[in-house]
Amino acid sequence: MRGFLASSIGVTCAAALALPLTLPAAAAPATAMASAQAAQPTSGARSAPPAAAPDLPGSTESLPLAPATRDRTLGAAPEQGLTRADVHRFSLVGVTWTDPDTELRGRVQVRTRATGTGEWSGWQDVDTHNEDHGADPGTAERDSGHVHGSTAPLWVGDSDGVDVRVRADPGATRTVGNQPSPLPTGLHLELVDPGAEPPAAGARPTARRAALPLAATELPALSREATEREAVTMYGRAQPYIGPRPRIITRSGWGADEKLREKGFVYTKKVKAAFVHHTASGNNYSCSQAPSVIRGIYRYHVESSGWRDIGYNFLVDKCGTIYEGRAGGVAKPVMGAHTLGFNTDSMGIAVLGTFGTAKPSSAAVTAIARLAAWKLGLYGVNPRGKTYLKSGGGNLYRKGKNVRLNVISGHRDGFATECPGRQLYGKLGSARSTSARFQGR
């Protein structure tokens, strides 16, 4: 592997920038990058999640749900639930079940008690349609035996009490063995504490980061000329249209505990398309809380859903800040777990929030365009163009079918889902045009 890509100011960020001359297409072992991203494999067992490093606090508490007394306000649908006022502090919640191929046909609602004030929130809906995310069928990640079915995670803020109810839709009964089962088996409530905030990017290193170079927390934005020089350094030439590299907060910058994820990385051959998502985790976060939200999603994807790492390749907050997602190098074709059936030769960009009715910020849409212009430009791809991807299997396209898609597509273009929400999906045309303009087209 060639040397690590350096920024124009001469600072190397080994954990995020390494670009191979020949892009691997299969699983690759950890290389020199592992020195900055040391990790141990996770077992995926909900009863004993991997322990966080002492200086990177955070936790996941998994609680089994139980049949609940029917509430006349909820109708006659079978229900499971849980009420606990003695849980560890948490800020993000979700519900998981045993079989990832089983759909939760019903409604999940939670209310939480705020730490400090003791006030309970109103009931909030949790997005149950998370089966459209995840690793492709037949991949090692999907077939690991650790993967669970799961709802989307919901950010609720610092809390120490919880009430959850899961109600099956009328007519949702399925048969498990010889018994009718309206809800998936093995329902658990997942309470995620993302841990304390890491130092802000660019802040003076603390003892916890003393061994890391200051620039490891972020990759600074580069001019078009500097971006092209980097490409020439690594490939011997630059593609004719590459957008300037935007500022990217690295995994170190948002405080990823690298002991949680699996060791090593998986790559595909190239990046031909970008799928845009929303995290469906709600919009009740401040930009300063975005690293905590991402750490919560990371723990939920790994410890609760059983994935090898966070599913998205990149995340964007409402202020337009871009964050590195799945480990393996921001410029590499890292295989994610974001669009079931289309994770090969694509990248996933998730905007923190829920955008069915709420509009995404213009800063977030512009960040999508900037990121796509740079990353797609490295592979010679026009953001306004079309491309073909081979389906790995899903509910829209059979496995093996070549599907013609927009280079910048919404999640719903590859899988029947509401993601990325009607409002964000409606902004993708603008993102394509803006991204192409950043490339100089």
Side-chain angles (χ1 to χ4, degrees):
M1 180 178 289
R2 291 283 302 270
F4 296 135
L5 230 144
S7 77
S8 61
I9 58 174
V11 181
T12 299
C13 185
L17 270 181
L19 257 173
L21 274 176
T22 302
L23 301 176
T31 62
M33 286 185 294
S35 64
Q37 293 182 316
Q40 297 296 325
T42 176
S43 67
R46 65 175 68 224
S47 59
D55 56 350
L56 288 176
S59 64
T60 301
E61 186 173 9
S62 184
L63 304 171
L65 302 189
T69 302
R70 289 180 180 174
D71 185 332
R72 286 178 298 177
T73 65
L74 296 177
E79 181 185 348
Q80 291 188 30
L82 176 75
T83 300
R84 286 283 295 271
D86 58 347
V87 295
H88 297 300
R89 290 172 62 165
F90 64 94
S91 296
L92 182 141
V93 302
V95 170
T96 64
W97 54 95
T98 304
D99 186 358
D101 295 320
T102 298
E103 180 183 357
L104 195 165
R105 297 195 292 270
R107 187 179 189 184
V108 177
Q109 292 182 301
V110 299
R111 65 188 188 107
T112 55
R113 185 180 64 191
T115 302
T117 68
E119 295 182 1
W120 285 85
S121 70
W123 288 99
Q124 301 182 74
D125 286 308
V126 180
D127 189 342
T128 62
H129 301 101
N130 202 40
E131 74 284 349
D132 46 8
H133 295 74
D136 291 346
T139 61
E141 181 173 4
R142 180 72 174 187
D143 297 339
S144 66
H146 305 320
V147 178
H148 305 298
S150 58
T151 67
L154 179 68
W155 179 260
V156 294
D158 193 9
S159 306
D160 60 9
V162 66
D163 198 355
V164 60
R165 55 195 187 191
V166 181
R167 181 187 63 179
D169 288 337
T173 300
R174 60 178 66 84
T175 300
V176 177
N178 295 321
Q179 301 296 321
S181 178
L183 291 170
T185 59
L187 287 169
H188 279 68
L189 174 65
E190 306 290 308
L191 304 177
V192 181
D193 170 17
E197 286 287 342
R204 184 178 180 84
T206 62
R208 140 184 178 338
R209 295 175 179 233
L212 291 175
L214 180 62
T217 60
E218 70 172 76
L219 301 175
L222 297 181
S223 66
R224 181 191 302 277
E225 292 75 17
T227 302
E228 290 174 349
R229 285 198 296 270
E230 282 192 338
V232 170
T233 298
M234 297 311 301
Y235 292 109
R237 66 181 180 86
Q239 295 289 345
Y241 299 99
I242 302 178
R245 189 184 75 195
R247 174 176 175 262
I248 301 172
I249 303 301
T250 66
R251 291 171 64 89
S252 176
W254 55 260
D257 183 350
E258 301 297 355
K259 289 186 172 62
L260 296 183
R261 65 171 176 84
E262 286 189 14
K263 195 173 184 179
F265 316 106
V266 179
Y267 301 100
T268 60
K269 291 182 179 180
K270 60 187 71 175
V271 179
K272 298 169 61 177
F275 285 99
V276 177
H277 304 256
H278 66 176
T279 58
S281 51
N283 303 316
N284 296 322
Y285 72 93
S286 65
C287 292
S288 64
Q289 291 176 313
S292 290
V293 177
I294 296 171
R295 291 198 307 278
I297 294 172
Y298 173 43
R299 282 186 174 274
Y300 185 72
H301 282 182
V302 175
E303 295 185 321
S304 302
S305 299
W307 302 354
R308 70 189 316 273
D309 194 350
I310 193 169
Y312 309 112
N313 297 104
F314 297 94
L315 300 100
V316 175
D317 69 22
K318 63 178 67 175
C319 290
T321 303
I322 299 169
Y323 301 85
E324 177 186 12
R326 182 162 286 208
V330 294
K332 287 185 178 181
V334 178
M335 188 170 187
H338 49 83
T339 306
L340 188 67
F342 291 100
N343 291 306
T344 297
D345 294 343
S346 72
M347 67 173 177
I349 304 171
V351 181
L352 298 179
T354 305
F355 302 106
T357 57
K359 294 182 179 180
S361 68
S362 59
V365 176
T366 300
I368 292 170
R370 289 186 182 278
L371 176 59
W374 168 70
K375 185 66 178 278
L376 294 171
L378 291 175
Y379 296 86
V381 179
N382 183 347
R384 272 198 307 236
K386 303 278 187 178
T387 191
Y388 281 91
L389 294 178
K390 182 177 289 187
S391 173
N395 63 2
L396 276 182
Y397 303 103
R398 60 175 172 78
K399 185 175 182 178
K401 181 178 176 59
N402 283 320
V403 182
R404 190 168 186 258
L405 295 162
N406 286 309
V407 164
I408 297 181
S409 285
H411 186 180
R412 64 176 63 182
D413 295 320
F415 199 98
T417 175
E418 292 298 314
C419 185
R422 179 173 58 87
Q423 295 290 346
L424 179 53
Y425 188 77
K427 297 292 185 181
L428 296 189
S430 173
R432 295 181 192 109
S433 298
T434 303
S435 186
R437 189 164 61 251
F438 285 137
Q439 285 189 345
R441 295 182 186 270

